[in-house]
Amino acid sequence: MRTDIDADVLADLLRSGWIVEAARARVLRAWAEADERFDAASARAEERADLVLAALTPSGRGPDDGLLLAHARWMAYCAGGPEEVFADLFLARLGGWVDAHVAPFMARGADRLVALGREETASLAWPETMPPAPPFAPLDPPPERGPDVAARIAVLGDLHLGSPDAEALARAAVADVNAAGADLVVQLGDLTDRGEPQEFQAASRLLADLEAPWVAVMGNHDAYRVSEERLAGRTLFEHHLGRSPDGALVEVEGFRVAVLDSVEQAVSPFPPYDLVSGTFTAGRGGASVRGVLSPRQHDILADVAAPGSSRAFVFLHHPPQPFSGFPPVVFGLRDADTGRLHATCDAGNVWGVFAGHTHRNHAGRGFDGVPVREVAAVRDFPFGYAIIDASPEGYTFSFAQISHEQLLRTGYERTGAIQRRYSLGAPHERAFRWAPHTAGR
């Protein structure tokens, strides 16, 4: 593990660790009100949050109090409540991420942080029998294209070709998108799972089967070739997908579509981490998970924001800040680039911002009335894609599952309750209607 990370990355890492521990403490305190067995765990989490905060303070950054409530709500929703089989184990695993990623960079208090984590782990027990998978409950089919729709944009989230069942699920999504009559298809990055040439070849073949024009962005899994442990993705992406991953601006039926290759071209300082087992695995950790925008992509945003420019949608791999998923802060677009994106939306031309990376349907805070949405992965539950139907009066956004029932049933069987809650999103996060007048535009 490298310890020579940049000061801004270190500050973001410590910010993330504090949010996780402070949110865990908040959830565990609420559970302790009904069940005293959570008293000790909540006290440990509070002490751990204080230790991380003490490490953060010398950086000049204070705690992100504004992100705490949103992250605690997300954590409690995913866990499902103290009566759920894996609820306390889930919260402990999130704390284990802090031990592994934050403790090595704490000048003081790291030993105590890790000791508290070990106490918590020792107090837990796996259930004697695994609970059955929740029942099969498919979503409603996507809406029919209305006569007033000027542009239908289909959105394919993370594909991770090269991982089990990924290509079959992706091909089912492509077939459905073709049947839906899209005018443009945008893929949100992580086309590949390990950044290997054969995975890029598979992605190129798959996207060639789309009947509509398409554009894909680069994700962090695409940037790093695992077999060679190096950043080889730029060359492979350009060779197999036909453009340099420096952002692009395309047109579709009177709308502009800005695609931003937000992956940071840097190697993660950490080995691969398995959240389920709570341990690092062998090898280097791939590309950095946070997002950045290059000067060229800032120029694209300036073009989008220019007075008199057409209505536009922005697509990128990393969700902008405030990012309240896991791990908070460090898994999203860095603050400076989020500010630039926010300023672009303030110009009045942007109608929506859509990101991948998180494998979930989620509504971000938005930019002064401009929706920010994360789109779930094709490969993982709930196994689907999104449709944006745009007209001069506004647009509708709908997440749709693939129609291949056998693939769906197989996927449902291997997806537990926590993963389903995490990925599915609330109804308003999977479908909404937006019009310029509703945002004061």
Side-chain angles (χ1 to χ4, degrees):
M1 180 188 303
R2 286 174 37 220
T3 56
D4 57 333
I5 62 175
D6 293 339
D8 66 320
V9 177
L10 176 58
D12 284 353
L13 192 64
L14 292 168
R15 290 169 61 200
S16 180
W18 178 83
I19 294 168
V20 171
E21 288 305 321
R24 286 194 336 113
R26 189 182 187 103
V27 173
L28 289 164
R29 279 198 306 271
W31 291 359
E33 292 177 2
D35 189 338
E36 64 182 12
R37 70 187 176 96
F38 294 106
D39 283 335
S42 65
R44 283 192 292 264
E46 288 176 0
E47 184 178 350
R48 284 164 58 88
D50 289 341
L51 290 168
V52 177
L53 181 57
L56 172 65
T57 301
S59 72
R61 292 297 305 255
D64 292 274
D65 295 303
L67 296 181
L68 177 55
L69 181 57
H71 194 68
R73 285 174 173 168
W74 167 84
M75 196 178 284
Y77 171 72
C78 290
E83 70 284 351
E84 290 285 328
V85 174
F86 291 109
D88 50 359
L89 289 162
F90 171 69
L91 261 61
R93 284 293 182 258
L94 300 185
W97 180 90
V98 177
D99 292 334
H101 292 81
V102 177
F105 300 96
M106 294 172 59
R108 296 186 306 276
D111 290 344
R112 178 59 178 163
L113 182 86
V114 173
L116 289 166
R118 288 173 178 164
E119 286 181 20
E120 184 166 356
T121 300
S123 70
L124 303 173
W126 284 89
E128 294 182 1
T129 59
M130 297 293 287
F136 179 62
L139 304 178
D140 292 333
E144 296 291 332
R145 179 168 179 160
D148 60 336
V149 173
R152 169 164 274 197
I153 303 171
V155 186
L156 297 173
D158 301 35
L159 301 180
H160 288 273
L161 295 176
S163 60
D165 298 326
E167 185 162 355
L169 289 161
R171 291 205 169 277
V174 165
D176 286 356
V177 166
N178 286 340
D183 298 303
L184 177 72
V185 181
V186 181
Q187 197 281 325
L188 293 174
D190 281 359
L191 286 150
T192 69
D193 194 54
R194 297 167 61 85
E196 300 295 340
Q198 63 270 25
E199 294 173 349
F200 277 103
Q201 291 168 0
S204 179
R205 291 193 300 267
L206 177 87
L207 295 173
D209 287 339
L210 288 165
E211 296 173 359
W214 57 268
V215 60
V217 306
M218 174 178 271
N220 54 295
H221 278 259
D222 305 319
Y224 185 86
R225 184 174 177 181
V226 172
S227 65
E228 296 184 349
E229 295 191 336
R230 67 184 183 94
L231 294 167
R234 282 188 62 88
T235 300
L236 291 168
F237 187 96
E238 185 168 4
H239 176 73
H240 292 284
L241 300 178
R243 73 171 182 87
S244 176
D246 295 307
L249 193 57
V250 300
E251 306 267 348
V252 56
E253 304 296 337
F255 292 87
R256 303 179 92 191
V257 172
V259 293
L260 305 176
D261 300 288
S262 54
V263 61
E264 183 174 30
Q265 296 290 333
V267 177
S268 170
F270 302 103
Y273 185 76
D274 181 2
L275 186 61
V276 175
S277 65
T279 59
F280 287 122
T281 57
R284 300 177 74 188
S288 169
V289 295
R290 77 167 181 170
V292 302
L293 299 180
S294 66
R296 161 65 181 148
Q297 294 179 97
H298 280 250
D299 290 342
I300 291 173
L301 290 178
D303 194 342
V304 168
S309 292
S310 301
R311 300 151 298 199
F313 296 99
V314 176
F315 298 88
L316 71 168
H317 187 60
H318 296 80
Q321 304 294 341
F323 174 65
S324 59
F326 184 83
V329 181
V330 295
F331 209 66
L333 187 68
R334 67 179 178 179
D335 288 328
D337 294 312
T338 293
R340 184 66 185 86
L341 181 55
H342 192 164
T344 301
C345 292
D346 284 344
N349 302 329
V350 177
W351 281 18
V353 177
F354 303 92
H357 196 38
T358 60
H359 296 213
R360 66 175 182 172
N361 291 311
H362 180 73
R365 187 176 297 176
F367 294 135
D368 301 325
V370 176
V372 172
R373 287 294 190 277
E374 298 162 33
V375 181
V378 176
R379 184 196 67 176
D380 295 329
F381 184 87
F383 313 107
Y385 55 94
I387 294 289
I388 298 170
D389 280 338
S391 71
E393 290 73 38
Y395 68 95
T396 59
F397 172 91
S398 306
F399 182 84
Q401 280 184 317
I402 60 171
S403 60
H404 195 300
E405 183 173 339
Q406 185 54 54
L407 286 174
L408 275 184
R409 286 187 177 276
T410 300
Y412 268 72
E413 289 173 1
R414 67 169 186 256
T415 308
I418 290 177
Q419 178 66 36
R420 292 194 191 187
R421 284 190 291 268
Y422 168 81
S423 301
L424 181 60
H428 76 276
E429 296 177 303
R430 303 194 306 268
F432 67 94
R433 169 80 184 170
W434 186 88
H437 68 270
T438 63
R441 298 177 183 278

